[in-house]
Amino acid sequence: MQLKFFLSFVCFFIVGLGANVFSQTLIINELSNGPSGNKEYVELLVASDTVTYVCTSATPPCLDIRGWIFDDNSGYHGGPTGTGVAPGAVRFSNNTLWSCVPVGTIIVLYNDQDVNAAIPAPDLSLNDGNCRLIVPINNAQLLESNTTTPGAIACSYPAANWTPGGNWNNTVLANSGDCARIVDLGGCEVFSVCYGTANTNNQIYFAGSGATTVYYFNGTNPAQQSNWSAGCTNAASCGTNAQTPGLPNNLANAGYIAQFNNACLPITPLQLTVQTTQPLSCNCTGAAVASATGSIPGYTYQWLN
């Protein structure tokens, strides 16, 4: 008897975001108060568990982040006294750069008026093959600012009066307590990392002062507290510097990012190899072995008898 079978092959699957994160467009990957002064930055990651990959494409799909907002505590996380409530917010402009940002892209926004020495040189290109953007907050083409203080609720951001160029004073991080938050097109918070006295309505939270501290995601689900760590930013005072702006935070974080963009390498075409062993008679069972290469591993297989 000849062995007959059908193999339905799924190119690859996306894991890691988890049910608690819903279908994100941006998450916070790292947040730093810097070693001194206001040498602060936030590192964002373009990520989603609902995008569709084309198996024959060498690049990952992209997402439109125009109009998404980065802000600090609006009072929703406690306040205003001692919780880092700063007036206004910063928004991604309508620039075409933001209209199609590949998943797996790291975006670093930093205070260019008090630059952290760990920040790489500005990088405003998606075509240089390094899967990252390093953007000074005052860039008038890529960012906008608004001086209106959002309300102390989950969804409260103005639609009007956004002006060219971001301003770190709208998002400056207080040492005693503050949050970094991502806000969607509906004006609602979708992700936040908080510390210190900003201890209300928290998603990711760390007790204690944020001075000379960096908070970073290092696991498989950014919405789980256990997947986050805090480290020092000043080697002179604590002997270490855990900041990694523009780079994965560690091996676990690198693996998480790689599932979206193949570790920033071209996605090779999917190849499937099948080997079969025919049965010697009707009473014997044949065998088929399938193996896949290319695309983004791991792989899932579905056999149909």
Side-chain angles (χ1 to χ4, degrees), residues 43-303:
E43 180 183 87
L44 310 176
L45 178 66
V46 181
S48 173
D49 60 354
T50 61
V51 289
T52 301
Y53 287 71
V54 178
C55 294
T56 56
S57 176
T59 58
C62 62
L63 296 174
D64 188 343
I65 64 171
R66 290 174 295 181
W68 282 64
I69 293 171
F70 163 62
D71 195 14
D72 72 336
N73 182 21
S74 66
Y76 177 61
H77 300 284
T81 303
T83 55
V85 178
V90 173
R91 185 173 75 173
F92 289 97
S93 73
N94 199 43
N95 192 286
T96 55
L97 178 75
W98 303 127
S99 67
C100 187
V101 184
V103 292
T105 299
I106 290 173
I107 303 172
V108 177
L109 305 178
Y110 69 95
N111 181 12
D112 53 303
Q113 300 303 305
D114 191 7
V115 180
N116 189 319
I119 298 290
D123 181 350
L124 308 180
S125 173
L126 288 172
N127 300 316
D128 53 8
N130 62 9
C131 299
R132 74 180 187 188
L133 295 168
I134 311 296
V135 185
I137 199 71
N138 72 347
N139 188 291
Q141 285 73 48
L142 300 181
L143 299 169
E144 300 172 332
S145 59
N146 197 311
T147 58
T148 300
T149 303
I153 57 178
C155 303
S156 175
Y157 278 84
N161 300 319
W162 293 89
T163 58
N167 188 332
W168 201 261
N169 289 332
N170 298 140
T171 61
V172 66
L173 301 173
N175 287 341
S176 58
D178 213 333
C179 287
R181 63 201 312 242
I182 300 299
V183 177
D184 65 14
L185 296 179
C188 298
E189 177 184 305
V190 296
F191 198 90
S192 63
V193 178
C194 305
Y195 58 89
T197 55
N199 56 8
T200 303
N201 298 320
N202 300 128
Q203 185 175 30
I204 303 300
Y205 173 76
F206 292 87
S209 169
T212 65
T213 302
V214 59
Y215 307 101
Y216 54 95
F217 168 49
N218 62 359
T220 59
N221 186 341
Q224 291 183 352
Q225 183 73 44
S226 60
N227 289 171
W228 281 81
S229 298
C232 183
T233 64
N234 192 327
S237 62
C238 63
T240 62
N241 182 356
Q243 300 176 118
T244 58
L247 297 171
N249 302 327
N250 49 30
L251 289 177
N253 190 236
Y256 179 86
I257 297 171
Q259 69 183 323
F260 298 108
N261 63 6
N262 198 36
C264 203
L265 298 172
I267 302 173
T268 57
L270 180 68
Q271 299 290 331
L272 180 65
T273 301
V274 179
Q275 296 178 325
T276 63
T277 302
Q278 301 294 342
L280 297 177
S281 70
C282 292
N283 295 324
C284 298
T285 301
V289 178
S291 61
T293 59
S295 192
I296 302 178
Y299 308 99
T300 61
Y301 303 83
Q302 183 178 9
W303 294 94

